[in-house]
């Protein structure tokens, strides 16, 4: 949730003035935020997807972005006409401010509905379970990566993902 705030706040660099540095800072901050956010979204989507339905869930996780494009086209034309006209008084900073308010709306919604999205803590968390592994007293070779495992007793407790 906090990474989405970081990404959404990046647009406010463009409110300061029309300098190239503000545009560079905007792109830099947005890129860092997206680089951190996108893998988490993919991980969350895969965690929710039932086996065999991962592709469908991946597509559906992108649906809000696709749906937003219908509104962005119309909104951008209206904002450009009103705040950055070809002639007359220009208030481009105000246009970016409004776009920033729209952008920050999603992180606030995620924060507001976080408990509903996460669900019960036990349903989405990874649990560790102790299991006993039988083995000899000397060393045991793991066939998958030829790693030697030293064992001091016939059975040893290991933690595995449940």
């Amino acid at each position: 949730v906090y990474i989405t705030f970081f990404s959404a706040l990046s647009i406010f660099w463009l409110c300061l003035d029309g300098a190239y540095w503000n545009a560079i800072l905007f792109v830099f901050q947005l890129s860092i935020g997206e680089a951190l956010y996108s893998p988490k979204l993919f991980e969350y989507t895969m965690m929710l997807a039932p086996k065999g339905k991962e592709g469908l869930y991946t597509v559906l996780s992108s649906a809000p972005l696709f749906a937003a494009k219908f509104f962005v086209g119309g909104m951008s034309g209206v904002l450009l006409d009103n705040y950055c006209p070809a002639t007359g008084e220009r208030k481009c900073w105000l246009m970016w401010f409004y776009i920033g308010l729209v952008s920050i709306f999603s992180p606030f919604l995620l924060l507001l509905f976080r408990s509903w999205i996460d669900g019960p803590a036990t349903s989405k968390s990874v649990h560790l379970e102790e299991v006993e592994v039988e083995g000899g007293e000397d060393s045991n070779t793991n066939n998958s990566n030829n790693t030697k495992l030293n064992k001091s007793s016939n059975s040893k407790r290991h933690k595995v993902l449940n």
Side-chain angles (χ1 to χ4, degrees):
V1 172
Y2 302 110
I3 297 170
T4 59
F5 275 106
F6 181 78
S7 291
L9 289 172
S10 66
I11 200 138
F12 290 103
W13 285 110
L14 299 173
C15 294
L16 298 178
D17 63 21
Y20 287 114
W21 282 107
N22 291 341
I24 291 169
L25 289 171
F26 159 67
V27 170
F28 181 74
Q29 184 174 343
L30 182 66
S31 298
I32 296 296
E34 288 298 314
L36 295 172
Y37 177 77
S38 293
K40 286 294 185 187
L41 176 64
F42 183 75
E43 177 185 5
Y44 183 72
T45 303
M46 292 300 105
M47 186 173 62
L48 292 177
K51 188 171 176 107
K53 302 278 186 183
E54 295 88 357
L56 176 64
Y57 274 62
T58 302
V59 170
L60 289 176
S61 73
S62 300
L65 181 63
F66 179 72
K69 296 194 184 282
F70 290 114
F71 301 105
V72 169
M75 187 175 96
S76 63
V78 170
L79 289 174
L80 282 172
D81 285 344
N82 290 329
Y83 297 103
C84 295
T87 59
E89 184 181 7
R90 302 179 97 191
K91 296 180 185 175
C92 296
W93 67 271
L94 191 56
M95 175 188 72
W96 291 116
F97 180 75
Y98 289 144
I99 292 171
L101 290 178
V102 170
S103 298
I104 202 99
F105 187 65
S106 293
F108 276 118
L109 286 177
L110 284 172
L111 191 61
L112 182 67
F113 294 109
R114 186 174 189 173
S115 62
W116 184 76
I117 293 170
D118 287 345
T122 56
S123 68
K124 303 245 186 318
S125 61
V126 175
H127 299 285
L128 292 176
E129 178 181 294
E130 286 191 10
V131 296
E132 289 191 20
V133 177
E134 297 294 326
E137 288 188 11
D138 295 339
S139 62
N140 186 16
T141 303
N142 185 346
N143 293 332
S144 63
N145 60 7
N146 294 330
T147 307
K148 299 259 183 190
L149 301 173
N150 293 323
K151 297 192 176 185
S152 58
S153 65
N154 283 343
S155 68
K156 188 167 188 168
R157 292 193 173 281
H158 291 281
K159 291 189 177 185
V160 295
L161 293 175
N162 186 7

